[in-house]
């Protein structure tokens, strides 16, 4: 029989190795899944991980890595702060939608006026939209002790309905021939989140994602508030003695993650997506949860994990068109990754020993 | 707007149908939480049950085999959760989320071939005389067997938790796992059994949606019912009686909302559709002051060496 023995300290080397282990295990299990679906597992895995980076059309796919990675990283950075402190915002998808609606709404309010001030205003509005949406669970938790997991998740469904209502009503393109969805922001110069350097996929959302990584790194390593976040997660009792103010922490963590998710939504709506419509959200808010864990809730880790996850999205799309691999298979692939990650964490926190048979 | 088109008998009858998936999923989760485990994967297990039940029903032509498959599917997924949280000692919140994300993807993958099909229908209870009674016949004696099973299961769970020794042990494990371990109870084994029961119930609840309530398969069709079931357990203060009340209240709201949509009330459809979620939030706020009723060890990791 095997026996688990708790390590006094989590093993640091294994903590770094476990995401790699989890990715490898996922590739093996994913390969089996693809084989089961009647695809050659080696070709499928190769298509997902190799094709976007070094394949024939890599010049087209590489920029996509930034486009798809940026929202994931932005959202995951925000989530990781809360997750570290045991504050579970799982409604980032809703905050993402609200950010997009607020941002696009602020821009379209000025249509067709052109001004360099419109885009900065949209950024502020987008962040504010997400922030506002995240403040609902935050204030309810602080004031009434309501479970933030359930409230933030419920608000995703509310936001989806609100999105539908807006894209069929207030934000609907008056020249859209009756189709749902807003005006295309890509065709409105002042509100367009255009590529900063053409052909690289580098838009303002990517810049903000990098800033968020640096900001989070500094916060966690160089700032008292970051220390409080880490302390609350690792030793809640000690945190109370150290004078941590839990309500402030809850408001900060949820507010920040909401604002970042809102930013991600706004940049997506005004850039790659262009329009806000009923099917605007594609699940970045949920995938970002996997990104946050895959990055071990560490800013640098999240940066790498975000790009890896973006790779599976892009590779998944290629596999979909080239090999006919169903889109849902990639979703399963990403879900499996989280399973293996959580299982691999066992190794960092526990030592596995062969048990001596018990006497009694 | 024509409110007279809403027939009370049909309203109550469809309320009971709308409440059943919630009741089934929530009764399973109630037992899991009473054993001290917080499984946030209800939504994932429900949607897995929905597709397993649907697919097997269509393939075999028997809704009952489908229901068994749904329960097995839900339980199989919950076994993953059990392995992660009970053996690998992973965080329960994260593991539950993983279950939901995986379940949504897995069900979409299995379900691609089943979009637009019609499942075999399940017969309704029909007792000559009783089922033909005005109002009560339709409301009390005119449903499918699963609905009655849900009610019976709620009653059985109440009896189990309240009057049996095994129920007492389960509650002890949930209230204080260290004390229960010291008394010689197998904490991990009891919890795994509870988790499997929860998974089977959630799977059954999901299959009820795809086989009876809708009945067809669409991706992501549980639309948050699993999460509402989680909220319902809090609403019921971890008591089966409260769960029944909550599920019926909630089913009533859902049906009323749908009827108002159909009757063409002046409120836009989207705002009516968001009402169940908003009401859940309001209910959670009102009940969140009653912390003391929460099982003592809920969500805490148990390791015998600690």
């Amino acid at each position: 029989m095997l026996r688990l023995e708790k390590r006094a300290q989590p093993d640091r080397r294994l903590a770094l190795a476990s995401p790699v282990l989890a990715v490898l295990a996922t590739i093996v299990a994913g390969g089996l899944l693809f084989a089961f679906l009647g695809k050659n597992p080696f070709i499928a895995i190769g298509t997902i991980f190799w094709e976007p980076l070094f394949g024939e059309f890599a010049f087209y796919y590489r920029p996509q890595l930034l486009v798809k990675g940026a929202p994931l990283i932005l959202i995951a950075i925000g989530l990781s702060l809360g997750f570290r402190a045991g504050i579970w915002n799982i409604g980032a998808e809703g905050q993402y939608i609200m950010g997009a609606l607020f941002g696009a709404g602020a821009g379209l309010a000025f249509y067709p006026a052109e001004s360099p001030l419109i885009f900065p205003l949209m950024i502020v509005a987008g962040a504010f939209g997400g922030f506002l949406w995240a403040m609902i669970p935050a204030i309810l938790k602080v004031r009434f002790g309501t479970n933030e997991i359930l409230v933030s998740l419920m608000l995703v469904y509310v936001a989806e309905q609100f999105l539908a209502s807006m894209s069929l009503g207030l934000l609907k393109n008056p020249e859209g021939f009756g189709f749902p969805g807003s005006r295309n922001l890509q065709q409105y110069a002042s509100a367009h989140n255009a590529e900063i350097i053409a052909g690289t996929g580098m838009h303002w959302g990517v810049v903000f994602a990098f800033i968020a990584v640096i900001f989070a790194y500094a916060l966690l390593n160089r700032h008292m508030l970051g220390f409080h976040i880490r302390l609350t997660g690792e030793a809640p009792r000690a945190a109370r003695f150290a004078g941590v103010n839990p309500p402030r922490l809850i408001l900060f963590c949820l507010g920040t993650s909401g604002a970042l998710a809102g930013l991600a939504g706004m940049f997506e709506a005004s850039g790659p997506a262009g329009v806000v419509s009923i099917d605007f959200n594609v699940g970045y808010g949920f995938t970002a949860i996997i990104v946050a864990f895959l990055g071990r809730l560490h800013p640098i880790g999240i940066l790498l994990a975000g790009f890896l996850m973006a790779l599976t999205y892009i590779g998944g799309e290629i596999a979909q068109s080239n090999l006919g691999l169903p889109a849902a298979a990639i979703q399963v692939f990403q879900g499996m990754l989280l399973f293996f990650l959580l299982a691999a964490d066992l190794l960092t926190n526990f030592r596995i020993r062969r048990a001596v048979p018990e006497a009694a | 707007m024509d409110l007279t088109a809403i027939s009370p008998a049909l309203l109550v009858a469809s309320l009971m149908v709308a409440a059943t998936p919630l009741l089934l999923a929530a009764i399973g989760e109630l037992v899991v939480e009473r054993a001290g485990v917080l499984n946030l994967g209800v939504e994932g297990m429900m949607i897995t049950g929905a597709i397993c039940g649907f697919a097997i029903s269509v393939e075999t032509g028997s809704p009952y085999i489908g229901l068994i498959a749904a329960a097995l599917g839900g339980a199989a997924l919950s076994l993953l959760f059990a392995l992660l949280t009970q053996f690998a000692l992973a965080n329960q919140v994260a593991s539950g989320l993983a279950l939901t994300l995986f379940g949504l993807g897995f069900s979409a993958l299995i379900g691609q071939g089943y979009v637009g099909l019609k499942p075999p229908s399940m017969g309704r209870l029909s007792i000559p005389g009783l089922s033909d009674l005005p109002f009560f016949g339709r409301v009390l004696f005119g449903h499918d067997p699963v609905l009655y099973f849900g009610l019976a299961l709620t009653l059985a769970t109440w009896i189990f938790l309240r009057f049996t020794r095994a129920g007492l042990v389960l509650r002890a494990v949930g209230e204080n796992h260290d004390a229960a371990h010291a008394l010689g109870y197998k904490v991990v084994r009891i919890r795994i059994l509870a988790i499997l029961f929860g998974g089977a119930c959630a799977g059954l609840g999901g299959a009820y949606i795809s086989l009876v309530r809708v009945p067809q398969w669409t991706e992501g069709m549980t639309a948050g019912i699993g999460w509402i079931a989680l909220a319902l357990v809090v609403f019921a203060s971890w008591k089966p009686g409260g769960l029944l009340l909550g599920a019926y209240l909630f089913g009533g709201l859902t049906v009323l909302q749908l009827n108002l949509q159909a009757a063409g009330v002046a409120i836009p459809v989207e705002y009516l559709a968001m009402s169940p979620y908003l009401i859940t939030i309001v209910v959670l706020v009102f009940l969140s002051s009653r912390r003391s009723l929460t099982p003592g060890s809920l969500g805490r990791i148990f390791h015998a060496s600690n």
Side-chain angles (χ1 to χ4, degrees):
Chain A
M1 270 298 284
L2 297 172
R3 193 168 56 94
L4 292 176
E5 195 179 275
K6 198 165 172 66
R7 294 180 197 268
Q9 290 271 311
D11 189 305
R12 296 201 61 165
R13 270 177 308 154
L14 280 172
L16 290 176
S18 73
V20 180
L21 267 177
V23 170
L24 291 176
T26 309
I27 288 178
V28 173
L32 289 174
L33 172 76
F34 300 148
F36 187 73
L37 291 170
K39 315 286 172 207
N40 182 329
F42 297 101
I43 293 177
I45 296 288
T47 308
I48 294 170
F49 288 100
W50 183 263
E51 206 67 21
L53 290 176
F54 310 106
E56 195 184 340
F57 298 103
F59 64 89
Y60 172 75
Y61 293 123
R62 275 185 215 150
Q64 285 293 311
L65 213 55
L66 288 176
V67 171
K68 292 233 161 38
L72 290 174
I73 293 166
L74 261 177
I75 301 172
I77 286 283
L79 295 182
S80 70
L81 298 178
F83 288 179
R84 269 176 182 252
I87 299 161
W88 299 94
N89 172 14
I90 57 168
E93 187 81 358
Q95 294 140 21
Y96 174 84
I97 293 172
M98 293 315 268
L101 285 175
F102 271 62
L108 289 170
F110 292 101
Y111 186 87
E114 300 282 353
S115 158
L117 293 176
I118 290 177
F119 192 63
L121 180 77
M122 286 169 68
I123 295 179
V124 174
F128 182 69
F131 174 79
L132 213 61
W133 211 239
M135 270 299 122
I136 300 172
I139 291 173
L140 292 180
K141 185 174 174 73
V142 169
R143 182 72 186 75
F144 304 103
T146 314
N147 183 319
E148 80 281 13
I149 301 177
L150 293 172
V151 175
S152 62
L153 196 277
M154 287 292 142
L155 286 172
V156 174
Y157 295 98
V158 177
E160 279 177 350
Q161 293 297 333
F162 192 63
L163 172 71
S165 154
M166 283 295 128
S167 37
L168 294 167
L170 195 60
L171 287 180
K172 192 164 120 178
N173 184 358
E175 292 151 24
F177 306 105
F179 286 105
S182 70
R183 276 181 199 279
N184 195 330
L185 291 166
Q186 290 171 350
Q187 290 154 13
Y188 177 22
S190 292
H192 183 199
N193 170 24
E195 284 181 326
I196 298 167
I197 309 161
T200 54
M202 183 88 175
H203 62 69
W204 281 106
V206 183
V207 176
F208 271 74
F210 281 112
I211 294 174
V213 170
I214 297 165
F215 165 82
Y217 187 84
L219 177 81
L220 289 171
N221 291 298
R222 295 279 179 272
H223 198 278
M224 197 60 187
L225 190 62
F227 173 70
H228 281 173
I229 289 174
R230 279 165 42 206
L231 190 62
T232 306
E234 280 160 31
R237 245 173 82 78
R240 247 177 294 151
F241 289 120
V244 171
N245 179 351
R248 213 180 116 215
L249 210 62
I250 292 166
L251 291 173
F252 175 80
C253 288
L254 281 169
T256 311
S257 57
L260 289 176
L263 275 178
M266 179 266 152
F267 286 123
E268 187 71 17
S270 57
V275 283
V276 194
S277 191
I278 295 174
D279 53 358
F280 168 72
N281 59 313
V282 290
Y284 282 147
F286 293 113
T287 313
I289 297 173
I290 305 177
V291 172
F293 280 111
L294 181 62
R296 304 220 52 104
L297 308 180
H298 187 283
I300 310 291
I302 289 170
L303 186 70
L304 299 173
F307 286 127
L308 182 73
M309 206 52 104
L311 190 64
T312 64
Y313 265 119
I314 301 161
E317 276 170 23
I318 302 174
Q320 209 179 323
S321 56
N322 288 6
L323 309 174
L325 194 72
I330 287 299
Q331 220 180 330
V332 175
F333 191 77
Q334 293 172 343
M336 282 196 298
L337 184 55
L338 188 49
F339 272 132
F340 283 117
L341 263 170
L342 293 167
D345 260 357
L346 174 76
L347 299 175
T348 44
N349 294 318
F350 291 88
R351 191 174 279 131
I352 298 174
R353 285 264 168 89
R354 193 185 289 267
V356 188
E358 282 175 51
Chain B
M1 181 168 86
D2 184 17
L3 289 180
T4 50
I6 301 174
S7 130
L10 217 59
L11 190 71
V12 176
S14 51
L15 170 165
M16 296 172 77
V17 172
T20 299
L22 265 176
L23 184 64
L24 281 168
I27 199 76
E29 180 65 15
L30 183 133
V31 171
V32 176
E33 292 195 15
R34 269 300 182 84
V37 180
L38 180 64
N39 185 353
L40 291 181
V42 182
E43 180 82 5
M45 301 185 299
M46 274 188 103
I47 192 99
T48 304
I51 188 56
C52 288
F54 191 87
I56 301 295
S57 293
V58 168
E59 300 298 341
T60 60
S62 157
Y64 298 100
I65 298 175
L67 286 169
I68 293 168
L72 288 177
L77 199 59
S78 73
L79 186 64
L80 275 175
F81 177 84
L83 289 175
L84 278 175
T85 58
Q86 304 305 307
F87 290 115
L89 306 175
N91 180 306
Q92 292 181 5
V93 174
S95 307
L97 289 175
L99 215 58
T100 294
L101 292 173
F102 179 79
L104 288 172
F106 177 75
S107 63
L109 184 62
I110 304 280
Q112 324 176 66
Y114 294 94
V115 178
L117 295 182
K118 227 181 130 45
S121 78
M122 202 175 312
R124 280 199 188 140
L125 184 72
S126 169
I127 307 167
L130 284 179
S131 297
D132 303 327
L133 287 173
F135 190 78
F136 290 105
R138 180 72 190 81
V139 169
L140 292 179
F141 304 109
H143 289 292
D144 54 274
V146 185
L147 191 142
Y148 299 108
F149 176 76
L151 293 174
L153 191 67
T154 311
L155 181 69
T157 307
W158 178 67
I159 293 170
F160 169 77
L161 287 174
R162 180 142 188 175
F163 298 110
T164 66
R165 191 177 159 74
L168 182 69
V169 172
L170 183 118
R171 283 188 287 141
V173 167
E175 286 302 332
N176 188 334
H177 51 213
D178 293 321
H181 176 69
L183 285 171
Y185 295 120
K186 304 282 183 201
V187 174
V188 171
R189 188 180 303 164
I190 290 164
R191 285 190 167 165
I192 289 173
L193 289 174
I195 291 168
L196 287 175
F197 175 75
C201 286
L204 214 53
Y208 191 80
I209 300 176
S210 64
L211 289 177
V212 181
R213 183 149 179 235
V214 175
Q216 59 171 351
W217 165 255
T218 45
E219 220 173 276
M221 71 183 305
T222 46
I225 294 181
W227 294 100
I228 293 176
L230 277 160
L232 212 57
V233 177
V234 182
F235 168 85
S237 315
W238 292 268
K239 291 190 177 71
L243 210 59
L244 189 65
L245 178 74
Y248 275 55
L249 268 179
F250 209 85
L253 282 169
T254 317
V255 169
L256 191 66
Q257 176 259 114
L258 288 171
N259 274 290
L260 288 176
Q261 278 188 24
V265 175
I267 307 167
V269 174
E270 291 85 14
Y271 293 94
L272 282 172
M274 61 172 82
S275 60
Y277 308 108
L278 288 174
I279 289 164
T280 307
I281 294 175
V282 172
V283 167
L284 277 172
V285 169
F286 274 105
L287 294 168
S288 42
S289 49
R290 297 192 289 169
R291 282 274 140 212
S292 58
L293 295 161
T294 315
S297 293
L298 187 64
R300 280 172 44 209
I301 295 172
F302 172 75
H303 183 234
S305 77
N306 288 348

